[in-house]
Amino acid sequence: MALVPIFRKNPEEALSIKGEAPIKKKRRRFTWDDFELTLLSLPTVVWFIAFCYIPLFGIVFAFKNYKVKRGKGFLYSLFVNSKWVGLKNFRFLFLSSDIWNIFRNTLCYNFVFILIGVTLPVALAIMITQLRSRRLAKVCQTAVFMPHFLSWVVISYFVFAFLSTDMGLLNTIITSLGGERIRWYQEKAYWPYILVFINTWKTFGYSMVVYMATITGIDQSLYESAVIDGATKWQQCKGITIPMLRPVISIMFILNVGNIFSTDFGLFYQVTRDSGSIIDVTQTLDVYVYKATMESNNYGFSAAASLLQNTLGCIMLITANLVVKKIDPDSGLF
C-alpha cells in the first residue's frame, strides 16, 4: 500500500487518495461577535464615506466654470448652468510669472520639514525614554506635545507678540542692548528660518509620541540581554531601538512625501500676516490658490489645484513606497 504524503497543501487531496469523501467546509455564520465588531466599525465607515468618498464628487468642479442659478438647486447649477471648460482651470496655475518660485518654496520647505521630521522626533523620543524620572519624562512629553493642539491663528498672535516692530519682545531686547529695531514683517531674509522653527515647534511633538509608543512596545528582554553582554546605551540604541523603529520611520516618511506638494495654509498665510514684502519666500501653492480664488471667485481654480496636488502627491507616495521597499522589503507602507 502506497504511503500518503503527510505534508500537502490541500488536506482534501489526501482524503481523496485514501478513498474517503472530502470534507466540506461549513459556511461560517454571522455571529454576535461579528455584529459587535461591525457596530464598532460603523462610525469609522460613516466618517470615511462622509469626508473621504462623497467629497470626491467635487472633482467635477475642476473641469467646469461653476455658476450659481438662483431659484435652482445645487445639482442644476453644477450640471446644467455651468459649462465644461476642460483643462482651462488648470492653466491659471501656470500663468503666473512666479509659478516656479511658488513650486520652489513648496518643495524646498517640505523637503526641510521631512528631513527634520524624520530625525528630530526620533532623537527626542529616545532621549525622553532614557530619563530615569518618569515624572520628568511625562512633563517633557506634555510640554513638547502641547503646541500640537494650538491653532495657527493663536500661534500667529504669539509670533506677532515677539516680532512686532513697536512692542515686540525681540525688538525690545534689541533696543535695550543698544541695537536698532528690525522690521521683521518686511525683511524676507529671516523668514525661511522662522517658518522652519515654528513648524518644527508645533508639529514634531505628535511624531515624537508615535515613536515613543513604538519604543515602549519593544520587548524589554532585548535590552536586558544587551546589558548582560555589556552593551552601552549607545550600542543598545544603535542595535535595538533604531532597528525596531525603522518600519515606523519608513511609514512616517512615506506619508510625509505624499504631502510634499501641499503646505499648511495657516503657517504661510496667517503666521506671516500675508505681508507682501516677504511674499517671495512665503508664497506657496496653497497660498497662491487661495488668493487667486478670492480675487476671481472661481471655485474651479481651487478644485483644479487640489486635484493636481492630490494626483502628484499620490504619485510621490507610490514612488516613495517603492523606493523604501527596494531598500528594506519589510518597511513599506503597502
Side-chain angles (χ1 to χ4, degrees):
M1 181 178 179
L3 296 176
V4 180
I6 299 176
F7 300 101
R8 289 187 180 272
K9 294 183 179 180
N10 189 359
E12 296 180 2
E13 183 180 351
L15 293 175
S16 61
I17 293 176
K18 290 182 178 180
E20 300 178 6
I23 300 175
K24 293 183 179 181
K25 294 182 179 180
K26 294 183 179 180
R27 186 175 180 180
R28 190 173 183 273
R29 295 181 178 180
F30 193 79
T31 62
W32 177 254
D33 293 336
D34 296 328
F35 176 76
E36 290 180 343
L37 293 174
T38 303
L39 198 61
L40 287 173
S41 64
L42 187 60
T44 304
V45 173
V46 173
W47 187 91
F48 271 100
I49 293 175
F51 295 101
C52 295
Y53 290 98
I54 294 180
L56 291 175
F57 177 75
I59 294 176
V60 180
F61 282 92
F63 305 97
K64 283 208 166 194
N65 184 17
Y66 181 66
K67 298 292 183 182
V68 178
K69 182 70 173 179
R70 293 187 177 181
K72 299 293 184 179
F74 167 74
L75 295 178
Y76 179 88
S77 300
L78 179 61
F79 288 104
V80 180
N81 194 51
S82 302
K83 295 181 180 180
W84 287 94
V85 294
L87 300 177
K88 184 178 179 180
N89 289 328
F90 292 87
R91 295 174 187 170
F92 93 100
L93 289 171
F94 303 96
L95 292 179
S96 174
S97 58
D98 299 327
I99 186 63
W100 300 116
N101 185 44
I102 293 170
F103 272 102
R104 182 203 65 186
N105 291 340
T106 303
L107 294 176
C108 289
Y109 277 119
N110 279 323
F111 177 78
V112 176
F113 293 161
I114 292 173
L115 183 63
I116 295 176
V118 170
T119 56
L120 185 60
V122 174
L124 191 60
I126 294 174
M127 287 189 290
I128 290 180
T129 54
Q130 294 299 322
L131 292 175
R132 294 182 180 274
S133 175
R134 292 295 91 192
R135 180 176 297 179
L136 179 59
K138 291 181 180 179
V139 170
C140 294
Q141 179 181 344
T142 304
V144 174
F145 192 49
M146 189 65 68
H148 175 75
F149 298 100
L150 298 177
S151 67
W152 285 115
V153 177
V154 175
I155 293 176
S156 66
Y157 283 102
F158 285 153
V159 175
F160 184 74
F162 278 90
L163 303 182
S164 176
T165 304
D166 299 328
M167 301 297 294
L169 179 60
L170 290 182
N171 276 332
T172 302
I173 297 174
I174 291 173
T175 54
S176 65
L177 296 176
E180 297 182 358
R181 296 180 183 274
I182 300 176
R183 298 180 179 272
W184 297 100
Y185 289 94
Q186 296 180 8
E187 297 289 341
K188 61 183 180 181
Y190 302 105
W191 278 96
Y193 306 100
I194 294 174
L195 292 173
V196 170
F197 173 78
I198 295 174
N199 182 79
T200 303
W201 171 73
K202 184 181 187 300
T203 59
F204 84 107
Y206 178 83
S207 301
M208 186 205 68
V209 171
V210 174
Y211 295 130
M212 287 187 64
T214 306
I215 294 174
T216 305
I218 297 176
D219 189 0
Q220 295 300 313
S221 62
L222 298 175
Y223 293 101
E224 294 173 359
S225 301
V227 171
I228 294 174
D229 292 337
T232 62
K233 289 292 184 182
W234 169 245
Q235 291 173 336
Q236 295 175 32
C237 175
K238 187 174 63 174
I240 300 175
T241 307
I242 294 179
M244 290 295 181
L245 287 175
R246 188 182 302 163
V248 181
I249 295 174
S250 301
I251 292 174
M252 298 291 286
F253 170 77
I254 293 171
L255 293 176
N256 289 330
V257 170
N259 293 322
I260 198 169
F261 285 96
S262 302
T263 54
D264 201 318
F265 176 78
L267 173 64
F268 291 95
Y269 184 81
Q270 293 175 325
V271 172
T272 61
R273 307 183 77 85
D274 191 27
S275 179
S277 302
I278 58 176
I279 196 173
D280 291 340
V281 296
T282 60
Q283 182 166 237
T284 58
L285 191 57
D286 296 87
V287 177
Y288 172 69
V289 170
Y290 171 78
K291 292 181 177 180
T293 305
M294 293 298 293
E295 292 174 359
S296 60
N297 198 24
N298 192 327
Y299 299 100
F301 288 172
S302 59
S306 298
L307 180 59
L308 180 63
Q309 285 178 307
N310 293 330
T311 302
L312 295 176
C314 182
I315 294 173
M316 292 298 298
L317 187 144
I318 295 174
T319 304
N321 184 76
L322 291 176
V323 172
V324 170
K325 292 280 286 185
K326 203 75 174 179
I327 298 174
D328 187 0
D330 298 329
S331 299
L333 181 60
F334 51 87

